[in-house]
Amino acid sequence: MIILVINCGSSSIKYQLLDMKNDDVYDLLAKGLVEKIGLPMGCLTHKPTGKTPVVNELPVPDHKVGMKLVLDALVDPVHGVLQSFDDIEAVGHRIVQGADFFSGSALVNDDVIRKIEICCDFAPLHNPAHLLGIEAMTHVLPSVPQVVTFDTAFHQTMPEYAYMYALPYEYYTKYHVRRYGAHGTSHQYVSRRGAKLAGLDLNHSKIITCHLGNGSSITAVQDGKCLDTSMGFTPLEGMIMGTRCGNIDANIVPYIMKKENLTPDEMTTIMNKKSGFLGLSGKSSDMRDLNDLALAGDRRAKVVLKKLTFDVLKNIGGYIAEMNGVDLIVFTAGIGENNARLRRRVCENLSYMGVKIDEQVNENAHGETIISTPDSKVIVAMIPTEEELMIARDTMHIVSALED
Ligand code: ADP
């Protein structure tokens, strides 16, 4: 089944075209990105498998035009990979926030769209863009079934004591204020792959998954289900991230707002876009830059790196206690997959419970790798995340069931 996976942001469309043979066997036909939608000059980067990539600068006024550009690139006589639009059998969309409406993926219909609209309140930067993506796709491919996969769905198994904040209960009943988590598709994928790689029975296992990228979250997966996760009502809660502050004393928020005379929106922007690695270092939100800065002796960059390790440990330690043990720790996403030093530092601090990694294997890890030694009491692995594959799988299952 040929499936187009779409990840729509407010000014961008990321896409992958996959030919799914079954859950594990697939061909990536093409992937790409439309950027700077709505700006005077936009850009399409199209990477067809086995053909020369194309970069095309042109104005992209809205998502409908962007989606049409993606489809035209896919059927282009030179750079395309399909004969016609009709070859696309289904479309899968990534949706950031599904709140407690969705504990799994769903076929797009009016009711689903209405619920995603309600969730815009909790993800004002993301959900409206996803809706634009669905609308644009409905416009250009009206007869193709569309499926939505939610970043929050995997975390719906959290027990009440994990998802409730200790605020007056009425804010939960009136405004749905609770913890929802994020990166669920990634945590679900790497916990399953990790269990397989480590030879564990997923249904009787204790796994901690560390998704460390620009946005970072850590999840406790007990018996294949999410027990707890570090992100909360929004993806701001938890650990230090590229530009997000993670956990802070909530009283700091009104304190700074009063001192600096800030509006709620301005304060939200500071916590989400100007904090984290960027705010603390004053120089960059990118881990590679911070590594270089720290090597050159930059004191604040060194604090950022230490705080990141510290936050990862704090979550891992907490989840080991919550699950009364751990069988497997998985690292994934940009930092988790590429930063061997961070993995080593985290594991060194877990030596008290018998975690031992093979430094050589850790340094050279590419693709799914067990980095712990055979005598380590806990298995540690690096698993590249494949969120698009998860979306394509769910889309294939839901659309195949329709056809049956
Ligand atoms: P997003 O949350 O935007 O999907 P990614 O998962 O791509 O983010 O992660 C981006 C982060 O990964 C950046 O901080 C980047 O510096 C870091 N990263 C990517 N490659 C490397 C590398 N080779 N070494 C260290 N950090 C890396």
Side-chain angles (χ1 to χ4, degrees), residues 5 16 18 20 23 26 105 147 149 154 184-193 385-397:
V5 176
Q16 282 196 10
L18 298 122
M20 300 294 294
D23 268 4
Y26 65 95
S105 300
V147 168
T149 298
F154 182 59
T185 316
S186 174
H187 289 293
Q188 184 175 18
Y189 176 79
V190 300
S191 56
R192 284 181 184 180
R193 293 295 305 179
T385 193
E386 293 273 7
E387 286 158 295
E388 288 81 7
L389 176 59
M390 283 290 284
I391 297 172
R393 274 183 194 161
D394 278 11
T395 303
M396 176 176 69
H397 288 300

Side-chain angles (χ1 to χ4, degrees), residues 153-168:
F154 182 59
H155 302 303
Q156 277 298 300
T157 51
M158 274 193 284
E160 200 173 356
Y161 49 83
Y163 72 67
M164 284 304 290
Y165 291 109
L167 286 165

Side-chain angles (χ1 to χ4, degrees), residues 164 167-177:
M164 284 304 290
L167 286 165
Y169 203 82
E170 72 207 65
Y171 299 131
Y172 170 59
T173 47
K174 279 207 293 203
Y175 306 123
H176 309 277
V177 174

